[in-house]
Amino acid sequence: MGTKTYMMKFKQRLRIILLFALAFFGEIALSFSDKSSADKVFPAEEKMPLSLRLSNNLSTYESMAGFDQQMEIFLNKWNIAGASVAIVKDEKLVYSKGFGYADKENMVNVEPKHLFRIASVSKLITSVAIMKLVEEGKLNLTDTIFGKNGILNDSLFLNIKDKRVTQITVENLLDHTSGWSNRKGDPMFQSIYIAKEMKKELPLHFTSIVQYVLENQKLSYTPGRKAVYSNFGYALLGLVIEKVTNIKYEDYVVTQILNPIGIYDMHLGKSLPEDKYPNEVKYYGLKGERNILSAINPGEMVPKYYGGNSIELLGAAGGWIASSTELMKFLVAIDGFNSREDILSSESIDKMTTVSKNKRPFGWTGTDNNGYWWRTGTLSGTSVLLKREKNGLSWVFIMNTTPKYGSRFPVQINKNMIHGLASITEWPVYDLFDHYELKSFQYKLVAEKDTEKTE
């Protein structure tokens, strides 16, 4: 082979390799890009996110036809723009499919790659991060949060109206027994009022909310006495993680929890539509729903799901976005079953899921003695139900539309899923967790060749 011919072939092969790399890491860049942050942490070895390797056609088969039909009926009944469903059987991903629209106006169908706000399912992620730190000996469940000897002993948090606050422990925040209630409203959704009281500008930083609560509010009961659901308590756990690790909350979760189990496309979301991720869905409200004052831009009237609630403020309590596929990847790493290794010890998982009188499970909405664990999440523009069943079946349903019954809507999701799952008589044997599809690469290479012809 002549030198000239060899060099031509070498350049041709090199060009194909470069195109492949661009296609591969181009997708990575899209999924990891953060328009508002220049210091995003990337995994040591960038890999194609699982959700970008799948497509709806991979979960289209005869035995699931009845299930698919049930999902379509459900979306039509409740006027849901789009939804994503993923099912795991015996720790294998056997189904991942989108329904309806990720973007109605542009007729974009929901696919496994699409990211949704997962609201309070975020609390499960935060709980796992806390338990990981406990296992590593960097944190104790009995550590107190506030006061001179507390984890958050910064000077701006030392002006405390109710001295019982200094009794609150990490465990109190995890099981919702901190003593805070929402009798005067949830401070996580009162940023406009708090900003006015503290003479601060919007958008409000979470530390300002913490200061306001500590300086102005008394506990509703003594810590540990009973359980009352608290978004504020879980948002505080995000600060605890940052103080203990000296790393941003999101960066710690991404690099120490998600990346090690093969999850590369879960992020803290943004409030405004212009800041959404390229593969994130659009959100929709109820028909006739009125705009409200923005929690981001002072005086502006906006849809509740695009600035009326601050996703950034919710953070560790409700700020994450994810695909249904990668949520199931997360679930199988904490489900206590033996086919795949869990990221936490069995003792930690038992601690998270065992409940006693006047306490809630860590991160989960509920667990029972029959092996059922479930986590709900609801915000304007989304509703989620994640469920682990005792028979090795686990699933998640996420939607991009404000639910009609608010936080009670997951009851309807559960009924729908039970009905749909009952129609399945045969499960596939393959595992979509291990699937790798190259169509996107092939398409990009073809597109590149077409471009050459037109130049």
Side-chain angles (χ1 to χ4, degrees), residues 142-178:
T142 55
D143 288 344
T144 54
I145 306 300
F146 293 110
K148 292 182 179 179
N149 297 318
I151 298 169
L152 303 180
N153 58 0
D154 310 69
S155 57
L156 70 164
F157 297 148
L158 292 179
N159 185 9
I160 301 171
K161 182 173 183 177
D162 189 336
K163 299 309 176 184
R164 292 178 298 173
V165 165
T166 60
Q167 301 174 26
I168 297 171
T169 65
V170 172
E171 186 164 2
N172 291 148
L173 297 182
L174 285 167
D175 62 17
H176 296 277
T177 61
S178 62

Side-chain angles (χ1 to χ4, degrees), residues 334 346 348-355 361-362 364 366-368 373:
I334 58 167
S346 57
S348 291
I349 292 173
D350 287 344
K351 181 70 175 176
M352 289 180 63
T353 56
T354 301
V355 294
F362 295 179
W364 294 95
T367 63
D368 64 22
W373 309 343

Side-chain angles (χ1 to χ4, degrees), residues 385 407-416:
L385 179 56
S407 60
R408 293 175 294 162
F409 192 75
V411 173
Q412 303 300 325
I413 296 176
N414 190 48
K415 290 178 181 178
N416 169 61

Side-chain angles (χ1 to χ4, degrees), residues 353-366:
T353 56
T354 301
V355 294
S356 56
K357 187 178 180 181
N358 295 327
K359 292 186 178 182
R360 287 175 175 257
F362 295 179
W364 294 95
T365 301

Side-chain angles (χ1 to χ4, degrees), residues 84 89 236 271:
S84 186
K89 184 77 169 70
L236 283 173
S271 298

Side-chain angles (χ1 to χ4, degrees), residues 92-220:
K92 294 179 181 179
L93 182 65
V94 295
Y95 184 91
S96 180
K97 196 171 188 179
F99 297 88
Y101 294 109
D103 181 339
K104 286 195 297 184
E105 291 71 22
N106 292 300
M107 303 292 284
V108 178
N109 294 320
V110 177
E111 288 277 348
K113 69 178 180 181
H114 282 110
L115 304 175
F116 292 70
R117 292 173 182 168
I118 60 172
S120 285
V121 177
S122 303
K123 293 180 176 67
L124 188 57
I125 297 169
T126 299
S127 294
V128 171
I130 289 289
M131 295 307 292
K132 189 69 175 175
L133 290 171
V134 171
E135 288 189 355
E136 293 171 351
K138 298 175 182 176
L139 195 63
N140 292 309
L141 293 178
T142 55
D143 288 344
T144 54
I145 306 300
F146 293 110
K148 292 182 179 179
N149 297 318
I151 298 169
L152 303 180
N153 58 0
D154 310 69
S155 57
L156 70 164
F157 297 148
L158 292 179
N159 185 9
I160 301 171
K161 182 173 183 177
D162 189 336
K163 299 309 176 184
R164 292 178 298 173
V165 165
T166 60
Q167 301 174 26
I168 297 171
T169 65
V170 172
E171 186 164 2
N172 291 148
L173 297 182
L174 285 167
D175 62 17
H176 296 277
T177 61
S178 62
W180 278 298
S181 73
N182 296 323
R183 290 178 184 174
K184 295 183 179 180
D186 188 335
M188 303 306 297
F189 299 99
Q190 293 181 317
S191 55
I192 296 175
Y193 171 77
I194 293 174
K196 182 179 178 181
E197 289 294 305
M198 297 192 71
K199 297 179 172 55
K200 299 273 188 179
E201 292 185 358
L202 294 174
L204 204 59
H205 193 277
F206 179 57
T207 53
S208 296
I209 291 183
V210 178
Q211 279 185 280
Y212 175 80
V213 171
L214 293 178
E215 294 173 9
N216 295 279
Q217 293 186 1
K218 286 188 174 183
L219 296 179
S220 297

Side-chain angles (χ1 to χ4, degrees), residues 422-450:
S423 70
I424 303 169
T425 57
E426 183 179 354
W427 292 100
V429 295
Y430 58 76
D431 186 357
L432 290 175
F433 281 141
D434 298 328
H435 181 81
Y436 209 98
E437 191 172 77
L438 295 178
K439 284 186 177 181
S440 60
F441 301 148
Q442 293 165 359
Y443 172 79
K444 289 178 183 296
L445 290 174
V446 170
E448 184 71 21
K449 291 177 183 177
D450 290 343

